Amino acid sequence: MLNRPSNSENIEPATVVPPERRKVPVLPVRDTVLFPHAVLPLTVGRESSIQLIESLGEERTIVVAAQLDPRLDSPQPQDLHSVGTLATVHKVVRMPNQSRFVFTEGTGRVRLARFSQTEPFMVAEVETLEEIEPAANSNSEALVRNVVAQFQQIVSESPTLSDELRTIAANIEEPARLVDFVASSLPFLTTADKQQLLETQSVVERLELLNKHLAKEIEVQQLRAKIQNEVQDQVQQSQRDYYLREQMKAIQKELGEQDEGQREVEDLRQKIEAAGMPEDVKKEAMKELSRLGRMSPMAADYSLTRNYIEWLAVLPWARSSGSKIDINKAREILDEDHYELKKVKDRILDYLSVLELKPDMKGPILCFVGPPGVGKTSLGRSIARALGRKFQRVSLGGMHDEAEIRGHRRTYIGALPGQIIQSIRRAETNDPVIMLDEVDKLGRDFRGDPASALLETLDPEQNNTFRDNYLDVPFDLSKVLFICTANMLDTVPPPLIDRMEIIPLQGYSEEEKVHIANRYLIPRQIKQNGITPEQIEFSEETVRYIIRHYTREAGVRKLEQTIGTVCRKEARRVVEGHTEKLVVSRETIREFLGGIQVRVETEVAERVKRPGVAVGLAWTPAGGDILFIEANKMKGKGGFTMTGQIGEVMQESMQAALTWVRSNAAELSLAEDFNKDVDLHIHVPAGAIPKDGPSAGVTMATVLASLLTDTPVRPLTAMTGEITLSGNVLPVGGIKEKFLAARRAGVETVILPAENRQNVEEDLTPEMTKGVSIHYAERIEDVLAVALPLLKARSDAQAVASTFTAAPAA
C-alpha cells in the first residue's frame, strides 16, 4: 500500500451504542483516504489484512480507515483515525507474491466506535455519519460553480490528469458527491487534507476547504508554468546557438575556411613561434594552446587560458633595443639634460664602456639617494635616452601588496602579472631602463612585504630566472637596467641595500641652482605657460633673489614652482593686453610672490649676538639645514635641563659637552664648582620637530662655554662635529648638504672635523666654497679658538698679565 504521512488525531469512540450500529471488519491503510462513491484499488499485503479479505463471505462490506502513523506494521485501534469510509469489495486478485489486489468502492462516511475484535483482524462497531446538505441559495451555488471551474482549469493544465474528469465533474449535480469526486481525483492533496475533508460533515464547509486547496494549486501551477517557460526559452536559445554554430562550422568546412576559435588558436600559435621563447617556456605555451583548442569558446576557462597564452606570446623574450653604443653621444645627452652630477654621469659612462666590450654583461642595480627635487627621477629618463632604450617607471610609494611585484596566481579572478612583467611588456624589449621610484616608501601589512619580493628582482645572480606568479615560467631580467630612487635609506631593509649600488645625489649650491634655472627651468616654464622668451626676461640677480628669499631647499622643485608662478602672472598680463616685455626685478618678484619668506642674511647674525647661542648644522631627508642651539643659566642647585624634542643620542651629546666643560673649567677661567649655585638649560628651537644625532656635540660645548664665560660666538659662524669626553672632534656625515645649508643661511665661517677634509675636497667645488672660510678642528679647543675669539684674546691677556706678575724685580 502507499505510504503517506497523516496528521489527523484519533477520536475516542463513543461509549453508547446506538441502534443503527453494526459490526464491520476494519482494514487499516497507509497514506490512503477512500471517499464515498469513489472506486479505489488497494494492495493488501499484511497477514491480518489478507485474513480479513479471505474471511469475507457474501457480505463484502468493510471499513477502510487511515493510520495515524503510516510507519506502523501492526496498528491497534488507537492507531487509526476515528472516521473512515464504509466500502464494498467488488473484486479480489491474488498476486504472485501472495498479496491481494482489492477493488473497493466507498459507500458512506462512518465513525469507528467500540472494537469487538483485534485478532486475527480488527472488527469494530460503526455508526453512519449523516451529511449536512447545503441550503439552496446563491452562496452554495457559487461555491459549487467555483469548485467545478477551478477543477476543470487544473485538469486542463495538468499533464497527468485525464480530460474526461472535466466532463464528469460538470455532470455531477449533488454538491456532496462533487466534493468527494474532486477530492479523490486530486493527486496533490495530502493525506491530512483528504482526512479533514472526509471528517467534515457539512457540505458547505467541505466546499470552502476544497476551494482553498484548488486556488492554491492554481497559483502553484501558474508559477510552475512561468518557470518552465523561462527555462524552455533559455534551452531553446542555447539549442539554437549550438545549431547555428554547427551550421557555421559545416559551411566554413565546405568553403575551406576556419571558424573564429580555430583562427584564434592559429594566430596564437604563430605568435608563439615568432616570440623566440626558451624551449621550456615554449613547451608550456604549446601545452596551454593545445588545451585551448579543445575547449569550447563558451567555457568559463576559455578567456582565462587565452589571456595567459597572449601574455606569454607578446613578451619580448628575445627582442632587445639593439642600438649601437656611442659614448660621446651619451655624454652629450646627459650633459644636455642635467647640470653637474659628475659621479652619476661617470658611473653611467663606465657601464656603457663595459657594455660595449662585453655585450652580454648583467645590468647594474643603481639606487639614487638624495633629497627631493634634485632630479633623481628625471635622471633615470635621461639615462634611458642616452642608452637608446625604452624607459618605464614603477611607483612603489605606498605599495603594500607583494602581488604588485610578483603578480597574482591564475586561480584568482582578474589575475594579472606584477608591475615588473607589465613594464617589460609595455617597453616591448627585454633590456629597458626600469625606474623603481620611492623604494624607501614601500609599505608592509598582512598582504605581504613588497620589499622582500624585490630581493629576487634586484639580484643580478637571481633575476635571470625571475618567476612571476601569473606566468609561472622563468623570465630573464638580467639585461634590464634597474634604477631605484629614495630620499633616505633608513627604512630600506639591509638585504635590499646590499643588492644595490648606492649613488648619493646631494643638494645644489646657489651657483648650481642659478645655472639650472637659466638652462632648464626658465625655458621649460616659459614654454609650458604659453609665452615666449621675447615676452619675459629673468636676470641672474633676480634668480638669486628668488633662490635666497623664496626657497630654502636642497633641490630645485620649489624654485621651478616659483618661476612658474611668475610666468603665469606674465601670461595673464599678455592676455589683458600688456604687450611690452617684462624684465623681472626684485620689485616684480615682491609684487607677484608677496613679501620675503626667508631672511637668510639677518637671521643668523641677529640670534647669535648674545652669549649662549650658536649655530649647528644638520642633515635631513630634504637636504641640509641650520640648527640654532641656545643655553641659559639661573640660580639653582646644579640642575641640567634639556628641551626641544631631542632624541637620546643628542641628550648624551649634551651631557658629554657639559662634562668636558666642567673638567676643563680652569682652562676656561671658570671656578671648579661654577655650577654649584646655578641651573643650566639647553634648548634646541623648533620644538615641534624631532631631532637626534651626535653631530651637534661641538655646538653644544661651544654654547656652554659661551654662556658660562659670557662671550658671544663669532658672528655668521656655523659648526658640526661629534665630541668625546676627552675633547676630540669626530667626523660626521652629510658634509655637502650641511655646507650648502650654511651657505644658504649666509654663514661666512664653517667649522668642520679635520677628518672630513677629504669630503670637502671631493664634494665641494671652488665655486661652492667661495666666500666661506672653512676651519678644521681635531679638538674642541680648536673649535673654541675660532668660534670664541674674544675668549681666546681674554685668555691670552690673562696669561701675559700673570707672566708679568710672576717676573722678578730688576
Side-chain angles (χ1 to χ4, degrees):
M1 287 183 283
L2 300 174
N3 292 319
R4 295 179 184 170
S6 173
N7 296 323
S8 300
E9 298 179 356
N10 189 21
I11 301 175
E12 292 292 334
T15 57
V16 181
V17 181
E20 63 271 16
R21 287 186 180 180
R22 57 174 173 162
K23 294 182 178 179
V24 183
V26 178
L27 177 66
V29 293
R30 294 186 176 102
D31 284 334
T32 302
V33 176
L34 175 64
F35 284 93
H37 312 294
V39 177
L40 182 66
L42 298 174
T43 301
V44 178
R46 283 187 283 215
E47 187 62 32
S48 59
S49 300
I50 293 174
Q51 291 184 19
L52 184 153
I53 297 300
E54 295 295 336
S55 68
L56 295 176
E58 294 183 0
E59 182 68 29
R60 302 176 72 81
T61 302
I62 62 173
V63 173
V64 178
Q67 296 178 198
L68 290 170
D69 187 355
R71 294 171 296 182
L72 295 176
D73 288 331
S74 301
Q76 297 301 313
Q78 65 271 16
D79 298 323
L80 303 179
H81 284 286
S82 61
V83 176
T85 306
L86 195 65
T88 301
V89 178
H90 290 295
K91 187 177 181 181
V92 178
V93 179
R94 187 185 299 272
M95 304 300 290
N97 59 356
Q98 302 304 317
S99 63
R100 306 292 188 270
F101 199 65
V102 181
F103 290 87
T104 59
E105 180 183 1
T107 58
R109 288 172 171 78
V110 294
R111 187 183 301 279
L112 301 179
R114 188 175 63 84
F115 282 79
S116 60
Q117 177 184 322
T118 58
E119 295 294 341
F121 51 84
M122 288 183 283
V123 177
E125 295 177 352
V126 299
E127 60 179 13
T128 303
L129 295 177
E130 298 296 334
E131 294 183 344
I132 303 173
E133 294 293 337
N137 53 31
S138 58
N139 184 44
S140 59
E141 181 67 22
L143 285 172
V144 170
R145 289 185 182 182
N146 206 26
V147 167
V148 173
Q150 289 180 328
F151 178 68
Q152 289 178 337
Q153 181 180 348
I154 289 172
V155 171
S156 63
E157 294 180 1
S158 174
T160 59
L161 297 178
S162 173
D163 289 339
E164 295 178 358
L165 296 175
R166 300 171 59 189
T167 307
I168 297 173
N171 293 330
I172 298 176
E173 297 180 356
E174 300 175 16
R177 288 194 62 181
L178 176 65
V179 175
D180 292 342
F181 171 74
V182 172
S184 62
S185 302
L186 295 177
F188 60 83
L189 287 180
T190 64
T191 304
D193 295 335
K194 291 182 177 180
Q195 185 67 32
Q196 184 182 13
L197 289 169
L198 182 67
E199 294 177 359
T200 304
Q201 291 179 252
S202 172
V203 177
V204 174
E205 292 183 10
R206 292 212 299 270
L207 284 168
E208 291 175 348
L209 282 173
L210 191 57
N211 254 313
K212 293 179 181 179
H213 292 307
L214 292 173
K216 180 181 178 182
E217 177 62 18
I218 289 174
E219 185 178 351
V220 171
Q221 276 193 347
Q222 290 174 346
L223 185 59
R224 174 181 170 275
K226 180 183 177 183
I227 296 173
Q228 182 68 22
N229 290 335
E230 291 177 354
V231 173
Q232 187 69 23
D233 291 342
Q234 292 177 359
V235 171
Q236 288 176 353
Q237 182 65 32
S238 300
Q239 290 175 344
R240 177 177 174 274
D241 293 347
Y242 176 77
Y243 178 69
L244 291 175
R245 197 175 290 112
E246 291 300 318
Q247 276 190 330
M248 189 183 297
K249 287 182 180 178
I251 293 171
Q252 289 173 339
K253 185 176 180 181
E254 289 295 326
L255 294 175
E257 298 178 355
Q258 294 176 321
D259 65 1
E260 186 177 349
Q262 291 175 333
R263 282 200 306 271
E264 202 169 48
V265 170
E266 189 59 33
D267 290 344
L268 289 174
R269 179 176 283 107
Q270 293 176 4
K271 289 181 180 179
I272 292 173
E273 294 292 343
M277 301 178 182
E279 281 303 318
D280 54 341
V281 178
K282 185 177 180 180
K283 181 179 178 182
E284 179 68 22
M286 297 304 290
K287 175 183 173 184
E288 291 292 329
L289 185 65
S290 174
R291 179 168 169 262
L292 181 70
R294 296 192 301 270
M295 295 171 62
S296 167
M298 305 298 293
D301 290 346
Y302 185 85
S303 61
L304 301 178
T305 306
R306 184 192 63 201
N307 290 341
Y308 173 72
I309 299 172
E310 284 182 350
W311 268 101
L312 288 178
V314 300
L315 286 177
W317 298 93
R319 193 185 315 125
S320 59
S321 57
S323 57
K324 181 171 174 52
I325 299 170
D326 188 339
I327 298 294
N328 294 325
K329 183 180 178 182
R331 182 186 293 109
E332 289 177 5
I333 292 174
L334 292 173
D335 290 339
E336 178 186 339
D337 291 347
H338 289 82
Y339 180 76
E340 284 297 327
L341 303 177
K342 184 175 182 301
K343 284 186 178 180
V344 182
K345 295 177 181 178
D346 287 345
R347 180 64 184 87
I348 298 302
L349 296 175
D350 293 346
Y351 165 67
L352 288 176
S353 303
V354 177
L355 188 63
E356 186 171 1
L357 299 176
K358 191 175 186 298
D360 60 341
M361 74 167 291
K362 297 178 180 178
I365 314 294
L366 306 180
C367 182
F368 297 155
V369 181
V374 297
K376 300 185 294 297
T377 305
S378 61
L379 185 60
R381 189 174 286 106
S382 177
I383 290 171
R385 196 160 73 91
L387 294 174
R389 298 187 185 182
K390 297 289 186 67
F391 176 78
Q392 291 294 320
R393 175 180 169 273
V394 179
S395 178
L396 301 181
M399 187 181 290
H400 288 77
D401 191 354
E402 76 170 289
E404 293 286 339
I405 304 295
R406 292 183 179 273
H408 298 84
R409 301 196 181 278
R410 278 194 289 158
T411 52
Y412 296 107
I413 296 175
L416 283 173
Q419 290 292 334
I420 303 299
I421 294 297
Q422 290 188 39
S423 299
I424 295 289
R425 178 179 179 176
R426 288 192 294 267
E428 299 179 344
T429 61
N430 61 3
D431 59 347
V433 175
I434 296 182
M435 171 159 282
L436 304 177
D437 216 2
E438 311 293 355
V439 72
D440 58 327
K441 297 173 182 62
L442 279 171
R444 180 179 183 178
D445 63 7
F446 64 93
R447 287 169 289 188
D449 184 5
S452 298
L454 282 175
L455 293 178
E456 178 189 5
T457 309
L458 300 182
D459 190 343
E461 299 299 325
Q462 300 180 35
N463 63 11
N464 59 339
T465 56
F466 175 74
R467 190 178 288 268
D468 187 273
N469 288 334
Y470 180 82
L471 299 181
D472 201 27
V473 292
F475 189 90
D476 186 4
L477 297 178
S478 62
K479 296 181 180 180
V480 178
L481 173 57
F482 285 103
I483 299 177
C484 304
T485 70
N487 295 128
M488 56 193 300
L489 296 177
D490 296 359
T491 57
V492 182
L496 192 56
I497 296 176
D498 186 57
R499 284 164 166 76
M500 301 185 294
E501 182 178 343
I502 307 299
I503 299 180
L505 271 70
Q506 286 125 351
Y508 297 114
S509 66
E510 183 177 306
E511 295 296 329
E512 291 173 333
K513 288 183 180 180
V514 171
H515 282 289
I516 293 172
N518 289 327
R519 288 179 56 179
Y520 306 105
L521 306 185
I522 294 176
R524 183 160 63 211
Q525 287 301 318
I526 289 176
K527 181 179 179 181
Q528 288 181 359
N529 288 282
I531 56 179
T532 62
E534 290 74 23
Q535 294 173 323
I536 190 170
E537 178 183 342
F538 288 85
S539 65
E540 181 175 328
E541 180 187 358
T542 304
V543 175
R544 291 184 185 274
Y545 185 73
I546 295 175
I547 294 171
R548 290 176 182 175
H549 297 289
Y550 291 90
T551 65
R552 176 178 280 182
E553 58 176 348
V556 292
R557 185 170 291 148
K558 181 68 174 176
L559 175 61
E560 183 172 9
Q561 293 172 0
T562 307
I563 293 173
T565 302
V566 176
C567 292
R568 284 191 294 274
K569 297 290 186 181
E570 170 59 14
R572 179 178 172 183
R573 289 180 71 256
V574 172
V575 173
E576 290 175 349
H578 300 280
T579 57
E580 68 276 6
K581 183 176 183 179
L582 174 66
V583 179
V584 183
S585 62
R586 294 191 177 193
E587 292 73 18
T588 310
I589 295 298
R590 284 195 289 269
E591 178 186 351
F592 289 169
L593 303 179
I596 292 176
Q597 299 175 9
V598 181
R599 299 180 181 275
V600 292
E601 291 93 345
T602 59
E603 184 180 19
V604 174
E606 289 175 357
R607 294 182 65 169
V608 298
K609 285 181 178 179
R610 73 172 190 83
V613 181
V615 180
L617 298 175
W619 179 92
T620 69
D625 205 351
I626 61 173
L627 195 70
F628 289 97
I629 299 178
E630 301 178 352
N632 213 332
K633 62 181 178 177
M634 65 227 70
K635 289 185 178 181
K637 298 181 179 180
F640 187 49
T641 305
M642 300 167 286
T643 57
Q645 200 171 345
I646 53 180
E648 293 184 2
V649 177
M650 186 172 277
Q651 292 182 28
E652 293 171 357
S653 296
M654 292 180 178
Q655 295 282 0
L658 178 61
T659 300
W660 183 86
V661 171
R662 291 180 61 185
S663 62
N664 292 272
E667 287 78 358
L668 297 175
S669 303
L670 298 174
E672 293 291 338
D673 56 350
F674 67 87
N675 64 331
K676 183 176 70 172
D677 299 323
V678 296
D679 285 346
L680 298 177
H681 185 169
I682 293 186
H683 178 67
V684 185
I689 301 174
K691 313 167 194 70
D692 204 1
S695 63
V698 296
T699 314
M700 296 166 187
T702 304
V703 165
L704 291 173
S706 169
L707 174 70
L708 297 171
T709 60
D710 199 27
T711 305
V713 177
R714 179 200 292 262
L716 301 178
T717 299
M719 61 198 76
T720 184
E722 182 179 353
I723 188 176
T724 66
L725 289 178
S726 58
N728 294 326
V729 178
L730 302 182
V732 293
I735 293 299
K736 181 178 180 181
E737 287 84 354
K738 293 177 179 179
F739 183 85
L740 294 178
R743 186 181 176 93
R744 286 196 298 269
V747 171
E748 297 177 354
T749 304
V750 176
I751 304 173
L752 301 176
E755 295 186 31
N756 285 119
R757 184 189 296 268
Q758 182 179 353
N759 300 101
V760 173
E761 295 171 353
E762 291 181 357
D763 298 335
L764 300 177
T765 62
E767 289 80 8
M768 295 180 187
T769 59
K770 183 179 179 181
V772 179
S773 175
I774 302 177
H775 298 268
Y776 298 100
E778 293 185 353
R779 292 188 52 79
I780 188 63
E781 290 87 346
D782 302 333
V783 176
L784 298 180
V786 177
L788 301 175
L790 296 180
L791 175 63
K792 185 175 185 300
R794 192 185 308 159
S795 300
D796 292 343
Q798 291 177 354
V800 171
S802 61
T803 301
F804 281 114
T805 302

